[in-house]
Amino acid sequence: MGRNIAVASAPAKAILFGEHFVVYGKPAIATALKRRVRATSTVNDVGKIRVRSVLGYSSVPLSSDPHLYEHDPHRHIIYSAASAMRLLDRQQGVDVLLESDFPYGMGLGASAATSVATIASVASLFGSISKDEVFKLSLEAERLVHRNPSGIDSAVCTYGGLVLFNKDGRIERLDERCSDYSYALHALHFMVVNSGIMKDTGTMVMKVKAREESSKEEFASLAEMSEVITMHALYAIRGRDLARIGELLTLNHMLLRRLGVSNDTLDTIVYRLVKDGAYGAKLTGAGGGGCIISLIDDAKGTTLLSALSSYGYEGFTSSIEDDGVITLD
Ligand code: PMV
């Protein structure tokens, strides 16, 4: 049983509230965006897992232990492909081609999205896989890259929608929680701005850990504030209070700045977006670079984009993407 080619795609994600503190058990809200990465898998008869993406080309023998390819830029993809086959009790050479319409290393979840899409496409070469299994395997692959991921990236890229990542690790899609949310979500329009600075999630997470260890009390109070902002954001989203959601986004940026994960470029983009009429803006993801997410009035998208390009930055607009991972027939 099986097929020779299978294609799956997964969405980009942006964390709206609660990044970093989510690693320490605090709640966070993230959304899937209308940009996707596509994984095309084909069976090969050379007994290797071969991966091609903008990061280059990798080729490893099927029996590889993950330690043998730990320095490979595609290590989480190789691991994802191998674990999808292990789940379905198969050992077969596969080629994986990754094509993305959003940038890597910019806090939009490319690492989780590529692993989610790879797992789904490789699995559908040989059988079928549930979303819960995709999520679980993607989280294992993320652990190879980021050591201690909260799981929020894999969750959003797998399930899609607007997601509340609860303190106890429970994942809830807000639009499925109650009809008030589902109605409110259509009012949310985002602009994502690329700072042009590559960031490294592992380094930023370690930096925050050092801060937590050296200033426990201050860290605990910042974490409390992050939780309060996230809970207020839930109410504001439910009430479709765009001005309030925007304020909370900017407040969350200031908190992350205090945590030490922002920089002058990110602060400047946030400042300009708010000055030019966005409801609010913040860095999204690990920080140190990557992207800014802002909440905007849909009608102001074009004006904001041209103001941004006059400052030398690129961006795109998006609303919430409902679909998580999709396997194409
Ligand atoms: O920048 P990203 O997309 O890798 O997001 C990292 C989010 C953190 O909260 C900083 C880490 C995590 O595992 O949740």
Side-chain angles (χ1 to χ4, degrees), residues 13 15 19-20 22-23 107-109 149-150 152-153 199 201 205 285-286:
K13 71 97 211 347
I15 300 180
E19 54 269 90
H20 282 294
V22 66
V23 175
L108 299 179
S150 62
I152 194 165
D153 287 21
K199 52 99 222 181
T201 302
V205 169

Side-chain angles (χ1 to χ4, degrees), residues 61-263:
L62 253 184
S63 57
S64 292
D65 158 334
H67 292 106
L68 298 177
Y69 51 81
E70 66 188 339
H71 299 299
D72 193 295
H74 291 124
R75 61 195 182 281
H76 68 300
I77 300 303
I78 299 164
Y79 184 87
S80 297
S83 61
M85 287 193 274
R86 224 176 8 255
L87 182 83
L88 295 168
D89 217 5
R90 291 296 293 251
Q91 277 267 76
Q92 172 80 53
V94 290
D95 291 337
V96 181
L97 170 68
L98 295 165
E99 296 161 294
S100 175
D101 60 9
F102 61 96
Y104 283 58
M106 287 295 165
L108 299 179
S111 140
T114 49
S115 118
V116 163
T118 299
I119 293 162
S121 76
V122 170
S124 47
L125 282 175
F126 307 112
S128 68
I129 187 167
S130 69
K131 282 193 178 176
D132 291 349
E133 284 165 331
V134 171
F135 169 66
K136 200 166 147 268
L137 296 185
S138 159
L139 190 50
E140 278 174 18
E142 284 285 278
R143 287 201 176 107
L144 274 189
V145 191
H146 303 313
R147 297 180 204 111
N148 183 28
S150 62
I152 194 165
D153 287 21
S154 296
V156 177
C157 297
T158 303
Y159 300 107
L162 188 74
V163 169
L164 171 66
F165 203 83
N166 287 283
K167 276 176 91 161
D168 55 5
R170 230 172 352 105
I171 300 154
E172 231 179 308
R173 265 191 70 157
L174 288 176
D175 45 340
E176 287 166 3
R177 197 186 208 205
C178 74
S179 59
D180 280 5
Y181 278 112
S182 154
Y183 186 54
L185 301 189
H186 298 289
L188 302 183
H189 296 280
F190 303 106
M191 174 158 304
V192 179
V193 183
N194 191 340
S195 71
I197 306 170
M198 286 283 277
K199 52 99 222 181
D200 180 62
T201 302
T203 308
M204 298 312 285
V205 169
M206 294 308 281
K207 186 174 172 187
V208 170
K209 187 167 168 47
R211 181 78 184 268
E212 189 259 343
E213 282 165 2
S214 65
S215 338
K216 285 210 178 301
E217 265 178 40
E218 193 202 8
F219 186 86
S221 75
L222 292 177
E224 283 306 313
M225 280 187 246
S226 175
E227 178 165 15
V228 169
I229 291 172
T230 304
M231 298 326 280
H232 278 274
L234 275 180
Y235 291 117
I237 292 168
R238 195 167 173 182
R240 288 200 297 163
D241 188 344
L242 300 181
R244 180 79 180 133
I245 303 167
E247 257 173 40
L248 291 164
L249 283 172
T250 310
L251 194 60
N252 198 157
H253 179 78
M254 281 149 64
L255 185 77
L256 291 166
R257 189 171 167 219
R258 186 69 196 271
L259 184 65
V261 297
S262 188
N263 58 35

